[in-house]
Amino acid sequence: MQTNILILGSGAREHTLAWKLIQSSKAGRIFAGPGNAGTAAAGTNLAVDPCSFDQVRDAVLANDIGMVIVGPEAPLVAGIRDYFLADPLLKGIPLIGPDRSAARLEGSKDFAKAFLVRHGIPTPGYRTFDRSTAGEVRDFLATLRSPYVIKADGLAAGKGVLIIDDINEAAAEVKAILGGKFGTAGEKVVVEQFLKGIEISVFVISDGKSWKLLPEAKDYKRIGTGDTGLNTGGMGGVSPVPFAGNEFMDKVRNRIIEPTMRGLAEEGIEYTGFLFFGLMNVDGDPYMIEYNVRMGDPEAEVVIPRIKSDLYDLLEGVAEGNLSERSLETDSRFVTTVMLVSGGYPGSYKKGMEITGLEETDDCVIFHAGTKAEGERVLTSGGRVLAVSSWGNSLKEALEGSYSNASNISFAEMYYRKDIGFDLK
Ligand code: AMP
Ligand code: GLY
């Protein structure tokens, strides 16, 4: 029997999930809510806001959905899993993603930091402030070295982390956040030590009892060549990551992943779904920077193409609590992705530009992010527009594939970074 699947979200991560799931013999119809032009081509888009749980409920019941995969964090932090479990008609329908309590790992930086400390997991030193302790911020900053890392506690649409060189500016910023700059997300503020190193993203899937390690990835967050300019949602990615050899990954497993999974169990938190460990490699030692309770984007566009096994089978293992019996085989080849973005992103940009040159060559797949189908035409509808992923036997070969395919695509004011993966070559 085949299962209809609803993927919530509208980015390249969600298109990648759809692309992978249609390859499964166990998958029935694939729906995305709200999706993009890529998911519309792979399946059917539904006009669903992932944070409007009643809309999700209606879509699930109307389309005989047998599995829901939650792409972004906001519905998880808001408790979509809890909503499903409390509804007589939805509670038997597997939803891939953690409940509200587990999603605090991403939904509250203060919760995540306290969890890390409770379980002895390496992470930069920090202190959390609220309005009642705002007067002590400057004295604490004086105990750290510049630059200063300031994080709004709650979800702030990717804008809640600031890195500031000047101590007075940093103190003023903490006060501004506590004063409401990011709304309720800033009722608490984490101030932490800056770490200098190379970032790497590591992923597991978990059924609450056991977990499996997925391929690791590196993403490129800054808009400009050489990691300069503003932070973005991610401008490209690479998997595998050459510096993440056995020695480093053993440390990640022993010092970070195992204590996390054990700590969750000890605290009575059953974690189901994807868990993303944002790590800093400091001279060969991993430190936890952040948890995300979902797959990364653009990491999904390089990690999922390296999974050779049936993804539906793995997710069914998550849903049924027998993940340990499922097989996870990975492709040893490199996959790279280059994100094509609208001119002006991550600031303001235009929408509605026609995209041409979307034909894929061998060993390349174009994942849609901010796109919209209009009849036969595909138009831009967001900042990050397309992720061009390619396989190669070497990093160089994969990058050549991504860049040669990217050069065939065009839309007005298209921009992309020309140096993805160059620091790893
Ligand atoms: P987060 O949302 O916590 O991942 O922070 C966003 C980005 O800020 C991270 O991906 C890092 O690039 C950077 N960052 C966060 N915390 C630190 C830190 N303690 N030291 C250095 N960079 C950091
Ligand atoms: N690429 C980082 C993220 O998905 O948060």
Side-chain angles (χ1 to χ4, degrees):
M1 208 188 75
Q2 293 188 319
T3 303
N4 293 341
I5 302 168
L6 172 61
I7 301 166
L8 295 178
S10 59
R13 168 182 52 210
E14 287 74 23
H15 184 199
T16 309
L17 288 164
W19 166 86
K20 180 67 181 165
L21 288 164
I22 53 179
Q23 299 170 38
S24 170
S25 59
K26 296 182 176 184
R29 297 185 66 193
I30 308 280
F31 296 86
N36 55 37
T39 58
T44 305
N45 285 351
L46 301 172
V48 169
D49 169 359
C51 283
S52 295
F53 299 163
D54 293 348
Q55 283 181 21
V56 175
R57 181 181 193 276
D58 290 346
V60 165
L61 298 177
N63 294 287
D64 191 22
I65 300 295
M67 177 182 282
V68 178
I69 304 169
V70 186
E73 64 279 8
L76 295 165
V77 171
I80 191 167
R81 184 181 185 82
D82 310 72
Y83 175 92
F84 267 59
L85 291 174
D87 186 295
L89 294 179
L90 298 182
K91 71 173 180 219
I93 298 171
L95 178 135
I96 305 300
D99 67 11
R100 185 194 280 126
S101 163
R104 285 179 296 169
L105 287 177
E106 179 165 1
S108 166
K109 303 271 186 201
D110 175 54
F111 175 83
K113 291 297 284 190
F115 177 90
L116 289 164
V117 170
R118 271 200 299 284
H119 299 288
I121 299 167
T123 191
Y126 82 106
R127 199 179 140 189
T128 300
F129 295 91
D130 61 21
R131 280 192 195 180
S132 73
T133 51
E136 298 158 34
V137 170
R138 201 172 182 300
D139 284 347
F140 179 70
L141 286 167
T143 69
L144 306 176
R145 290 178 309 280
S146 166
Y148 306 97
V149 182
I150 293 166
K151 301 182 174 182
D153 178 54
L155 296 184
K159 296 189 166 44
V161 177
L162 298 154
I163 297 176
I164 297 175
D165 290 329
D166 180 75
I167 189 166
N168 295 318
E169 239 179 84
E173 195 58 48
V174 176
K175 293 217 172 80
I177 298 172
L178 290 172
K181 180 175 173 179
F182 294 125
T184 53
E187 281 172 2
K188 287 191 244 173
V189 176
V190 167
V191 177
E192 76 177 19
Q193 179 62 58
F194 180 84
L195 288 186
K196 198 166 161 41
I198 313 177
E199 281 180 78
I200 175 167
S201 306
V202 170
F203 304 91
V204 304
I205 47 168
S206 166
D207 65 3
K209 300 192 271 294
S210 73
W211 53 272
K212 286 190 193 292
L213 184 65
L214 301 176
E216 78 286 354
K218 184 175 187 310
D219 105 359
Y220 291 78
K221 290 208 168 84
R222 302 290 199 91
I223 187 73
T225 304
D227 280 326
T228 54
L230 292 174
N231 255 324
T232 69
M235 295 295 292
V238 169
S239 179
V241 180
F243 68 75
N246 287 341
E247 194 188 342
F248 181 75
M249 289 308 289
D250 281 347
K251 290 180 187 170
V252 170
R253 216 176 268 113
N254 296 333
R255 298 179 190 175
I256 312 251
I257 302 176
E258 273 163 9
T260 296
M261 303 320 279
R262 212 169 36 237
L264 287 167
E266 277 167 21
E267 297 191 17
I269 297 173
E270 192 181 272
Y271 195 98
T272 55
F274 294 97
L275 181 55
F276 168 157
F277 299 78
L279 306 174
M280 191 72 84
N281 173 355
V282 183
D283 300 326
D285 288 317
Y287 288 81
M288 264 302 286
I289 296 293
E290 63 163 351
Y291 291 109
N292 294 130
V293 297
R294 52 173 172 81
M295 270 308 291
D297 190 352
E299 287 94 333
E301 294 94 282
V302 295
V303 168
I304 290 171
R306 291 194 58 222
I307 298 176
K308 284 212 267 188
S309 310
D310 180 337
L311 181 62
Y312 182 83
D313 182 65
L314 284 160
L315 297 179
E316 191 181 57
V318 169
E320 293 178 0
N322 54 20
L323 180 62
S324 63
E325 296 163 22
R326 314 286 172 138
S327 91
L328 170 59
E329 253 192 278
T330 58
D331 189 331
S332 60
R333 286 179 299 168
F334 281 83
V335 179
T336 58
T337 200
V338 172
M339 193 63 79
L340 311 185
V341 306
S342 299
Y345 172 81
S348 60
Y349 52 83
K350 295 186 198 134
K351 295 182 186 176
M353 309 296 193
E354 182 169 1
I355 307 170
T356 59
L358 287 169
E359 301 76 30
E360 293 161 351
T361 57
D362 281 352
D363 284 337
C364 173
V365 46
I366 300 167
F367 295 120
H368 290 232
T371 67
K372 195 173 85 178
E374 208 176 80
E376 294 292 295
R377 301 193 311 155
V378 178
L379 307 180
T380 68
S381 69
R384 294 194 294 171
V385 176
L386 298 163
V388 184
S389 293
S390 288
W391 289 259
N393 290 317
S394 63
L395 179 59
K396 187 166 170 283
E397 198 180 294
L399 287 167
E400 279 167 8
S402 288
Y403 279 116
S404 89
N405 277 275
S407 70
N408 295 331
I409 299 171
S410 84
F411 55 86
E413 297 178 33
M414 178 175 101
Y415 168 79
Y416 57 94
R417 266 181 70 167
K418 309 292 186 303
D419 65 336
I420 300 302
F422 279 31
D423 56 332
L424 301 175
K425 272 191 186 169

